[in-house]
């Protein structure tokens, strides 16, 4: 089922939509999917073994991840949602929050050790330009961590409907994500997280009864990992490095 957006929206319309969505869906609670993403982001950033990092969280929404990352260094959070960021500044004064369009913001180039962006890519009109902008913000050798929705899985999950008014939505699959990343980044690694889906083949793969039967002989954690390795997770999580300065 095609759940993409087939409309174009002004930046003001998108800004209003994300203010409303973030206030309703992210302030006060974090979904299991987001919690799993955060676990992996934490693991990747912690592996750098530093507390003096310069980090930017692009499309930070309510700032929940930016606040969490602040123990690793100085964090900047950017988002269109001005009203939500105003509240985030009060909740996490140690984070620098900047509202506006990423392509228009006056951000220092080649100045960040880590760029984080969670579930933002589908909501950007020009995805290759978005990748170029992320690469431009990173220092040579800097780390990109990008999470995005897994198109073939979410199109087969009845819990997710069409986009809300004002929201651009163009999901990608793992092959499309790699094609977007490789012109700008090196050492690209893509995994999937959090298996979901209840339509087509996923109705069988994620059958509660079937999984319970298999779970009698195989640990449930192994079943979950097998689905993630088969790229059947809700999330595609990519990590990559910016190459040398051109």
């Amino acid at each position: 089922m095609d759940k993409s957006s087939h409309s174009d929206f002004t930046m003001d319309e998108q800004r209003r939509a994300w203010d409303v969505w973030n206030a309703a869906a992210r302030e006060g609670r974090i979904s299991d999917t987001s919690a799993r993403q955060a676990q992996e982001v934490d693991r990747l950033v912690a592996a750098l073994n530093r507390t003096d990092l310069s980090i930017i969280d692009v499309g930070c929404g309510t700032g929940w991840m930016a606040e969490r990352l602040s123990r690793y260094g100085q964090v900047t959070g950017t988002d269109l949602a001005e009203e939500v960021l105003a509240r985030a500044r009060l909740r996490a004064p140690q984070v620098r929050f900047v509202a506006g369009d990423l392509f228009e913001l006056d951000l220092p180039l080649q100045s960040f050790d880590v760029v984080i962006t969670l579930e933002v890519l589908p909501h950007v009109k020009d995805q290759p330009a978005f990748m170029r902008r992320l690469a431009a913000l990173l220092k040579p050798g800097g780390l990109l961590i990008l999470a995005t929705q897994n198109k073939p899985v979410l199109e087969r999950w009845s819990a997710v409907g069409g986009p809300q008014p004002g929201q651009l939505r163009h999901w990608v699959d793992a092959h499309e994500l790699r094609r977007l990343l490789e012109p700008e980044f090196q050492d690209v690694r893509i995994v999937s997280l959090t298996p979901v889906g209840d339509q087509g083949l996923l109705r069988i793969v994620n059958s509660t009864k079937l999984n319970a039967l298999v779970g009698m002989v195989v640990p449930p954690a192994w079943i979950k990992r097998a689905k993630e390795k088969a790229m059947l997770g809700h999330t595609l999580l990519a990590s990559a490095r910016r190459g040398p300065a051109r």
Side-chain angles (χ1 to χ4, degrees), residues 159-185:
V160 176
Q164 299 297 310
Q167 291 183 354
L168 300 178
R169 181 199 281 171
H170 297 286
W171 293 328
V172 297
D173 61 28
H175 297 293
E176 291 169 321
L177 180 56
R178 183 172 293 277
R179 285 197 295 269
L180 285 167
L181 287 164
E182 287 186 336
E184 306 298 330
F185 298 96

Side-chain angles (χ1 to χ4, degrees), residues 79-207:
D79 202 278
L80 286 175
E82 295 177 353
E83 295 176 8
V84 172
L85 286 193
R87 294 189 290 274
R89 291 187 188 99
L90 299 175
R91 187 173 60 253
Q94 74 275 25
V95 177
R96 175 180 177 242
F97 289 108
V98 183
D101 179 358
L102 178 69
F103 293 98
E104 302 295 332
L105 291 175
D106 185 16
L107 296 167
L109 303 181
Q110 297 188 40
S111 62
F112 295 97
D113 298 296
V114 183
V115 169
I116 311 288
T117 182
L118 306 181
E119 298 192 351
V120 177
L121 178 65
H123 311 302
V124 177
K125 184 175 182 180
D126 189 337
Q127 294 180 344
F130 181 66
M131 292 297 187
R132 291 192 294 271
R133 179 65 165 153
L134 298 181
L137 294 173
L138 274 172
K139 296 176 182 179
L143 176 65
L144 170 72
I145 305 174
L146 181 152
T148 190
Q149 297 88 335
N150 189 359
K151 180 179 180 178
V153 171
L154 267 67
E155 287 189 338
R156 293 166 177 81
W157 192 26
S158 60
V160 176
Q164 299 297 310
Q167 291 183 354
L168 300 178
R169 181 199 281 171
H170 297 286
W171 293 328
V172 297
D173 61 28
H175 297 293
E176 291 169 321
L177 180 56
R178 183 172 293 277
R179 285 197 295 269
L180 285 167
L181 287 164
E182 287 186 336
E184 306 298 330
F185 298 96
Q186 300 176 346
D187 303 324
V188 176
R189 299 182 181 182
I190 301 173
V191 299
S192 82
L193 308 173
T194 316
V196 295
D198 57 7
Q199 297 173 351
L201 180 61
L202 295 182
R203 182 175 65 85
I204 300 172
V205 170
N206 294 320
S207 164

Side-chain angles (χ1 to χ4, degrees), residues 200-217:
L201 180 61
L202 295 182
R203 182 175 65 85
I204 300 172
V205 170
N206 294 320
S207 164
T208 302
K209 292 182 179 180
L210 178 60
N211 279 257
L213 286 173
V214 176
M216 295 175 67
V217 293

